[in-house]
Amino acid sequence: MRTRIGIVGAGAMAEQHAIAMRDAGAEIVGVADPDHGRAAALADTAGAGAGTATAYGSAQELYAHPGIDAVVVASPNETHAAQTIAALNAGLHVLTEIPVGMSLAEAEAVADAAVRSGLQVAVAHTLRYCSPYRQVRELVDAGRLEIRHIVARTLMLRQENTGVAGRRRTWTDDVRWHHGAHTVDAALWLLAADDATVTGQLGPAWPRSGRPMDAGIVLCAPGGGVATIALSYHSRVAARDLTIIAEGITLRIDGPRLLSPDGVIADCGSAAAMERAGLTRQDEDFLTAIVHGRRPECTVQDVLPTMRALDRLSTTTEA
């Protein structure tokens, strides 16, 4: 029998998870969103039509769907932790979108709930599943790459309240806990570090969002590796890149490409294609893990070092 999955949220990321889960062989049995029209539309397409998936107005209603095995939490950031804990309390495995929480305390609460329940909580740190990043980590694991310094930039223009698909949203993004979590986690993961000392500063709260829109971070791993990270939601020049300075070689991940001084090592074609393939690999890993009773590759426990690092950032006074 196929694994029965529910989806919390009906936005752009929920749509991507619905496709990935269905392609991986799961059955989408329900979608929850306060906007009933959006929930019904995604339920219809994700459930392959004919009313095979049910639209719900709340996560709790979805969690009571008969025979459901697991849920994907793809709702607004501020709801991830509470909805994940509620799903665990309902006896469901969870794949939650990033961030797992909007604070270290929320992330630790989710981790504690996962331990108590004996259920799996995977977190969608999708860069861990993207080919250029995986190739670098494989070199590290094989002892062929000793990283000295990672210089990472995640820069974009997110002054308007729109998401990845360009749609208006009812919630406000957060550079520290969203894209900061992606970038810090990628750096720590490539350094194979489960802790780091942190020096960093968040920019002042921006009046239009009420939240910091910039950050500068330096991580020092116990093994001696360093990561220097720049984050901005104000940049009119978009960038997501990592320069990996290692013993004997320098590599660069520039969007979907892994580069060396000798040329292109790997090219996924586009950032969107790379991320779609990574999300598919991630969702397949989650499904396989719950079917076979193993841990997913990226659990809430695995990302606690990232949440601790982000929690240690200093804040400036509001401008």
Side-chain angles (χ1 to χ4, degrees):
M1 187 172 66
R2 292 192 296 171
T3 305
R4 294 160 63 87
I5 299 289
I7 299 177
V8 183
M13 292 309 303
E15 293 169 358
Q16 293 186 35
H17 284 292
I19 294 168
M21 288 291 183
R22 192 178 60 202
D23 289 350
E27 179 185 359
I28 308 299
V29 299
V31 177
D33 194 282
D35 185 324
H36 182 76
R38 290 206 315 172
L42 182 56
D44 186 57
T45 57
T52 55
T54 305
Y56 293 101
S58 72
Q60 287 290 358
E61 291 175 301
L62 172 64
Y63 298 164
H65 186 98
I68 190 171
D69 299 304
V71 293
V72 176
V73 173
S75 50
N77 290 351
E78 290 84 354
T79 64
H80 291 177
Q83 289 176 342
T84 296
I85 291 170
L88 293 170
N89 291 340
L92 305 174
H93 300 285
V94 183
L95 168 60
T96 178
E97 258 302 328
I98 187 174
V100 64
M102 293 296 289
S103 67
L104 175 60
E106 285 193 352
E108 290 176 334
V110 172
D112 290 344
V115 171
R116 288 196 305 271
S117 70
L119 298 164
Q120 299 296 349
V121 176
V123 187
H125 283 259
T126 310
L127 293 179
R128 292 191 183 209
Y129 294 86
C130 292
S131 291
Y133 296 81
R134 291 177 78 85
Q135 290 187 51
V136 174
R137 178 58 194 252
E138 287 166 4
L139 293 173
V140 171
D141 288 343
R144 297 171 55 195
L145 195 67
E146 186 178 355
I147 299 176
R148 301 296 191 191
H149 195 169
I150 293 173
V151 181
R153 302 184 304 164
T154 299
L155 313 175
M156 65 190 70
L157 186 62
R158 204 159 263 200
Q159 293 178 340
E160 298 299 327
N161 199 21
T162 57
V164 66
R167 303 173 190 166
R168 286 296 291 181
R169 295 187 301 202
T170 59
W171 52 280
T172 302
D173 213 339
D174 190 293
V175 74
R176 174 178 14 186
W177 298 111
H178 183 186
H179 287 91
H182 274 304
T183 310
V184 168
D185 185 72
L188 290 176
W189 185 63
L190 294 178
L191 288 169
D194 58 8
D195 195 14
T197 60
V198 180
T199 304
Q201 191 83 40
L202 292 165
W206 195 48
R208 285 170 56 185
S209 70
R211 300 186 183 189
M213 301 281 277
D214 299 275
I217 308 168
V218 177
L219 309 173
C220 296
V226 174
T228 304
I229 296 170
L231 307 170
S232 182
Y233 278 173
H234 284 311
S235 179
R236 285 169 171 76
V237 176
R240 174 174 274 177
D241 53 42
L242 293 88
T243 299
I244 301 152
I245 302 166
E247 189 69 23
I249 191 170
T250 298
L251 302 174
R252 182 176 176 82
I253 298 175
D254 188 357
R257 300 187 301 163
L258 176 60
L259 310 167
S260 78
D262 296 324
V264 178
I265 298 173
D267 191 341
C268 297
S270 70
M274 178 191 76
E275 291 167 7
R276 279 196 303 271
L279 186 139
T280 297
R281 187 179 290 116
Q282 164 193 278
D283 288 19
E284 288 174 347
D285 171 62
F286 174 69
L287 283 179
T288 302
I290 63 176
V291 168
H292 294 287
R294 64 163 175 83
R295 293 175 80 252
E297 287 187 25
C298 183
T299 70
V300 59
Q301 288 83 6
D302 295 323
V303 304
L304 287 179
T306 292
M307 302 301 284
R308 292 188 193 105
L310 293 168
D311 182 69
R312 293 168 184 160
L313 292 180
S314 300
T315 58
T316 60
T317 56
E318 187 167 336

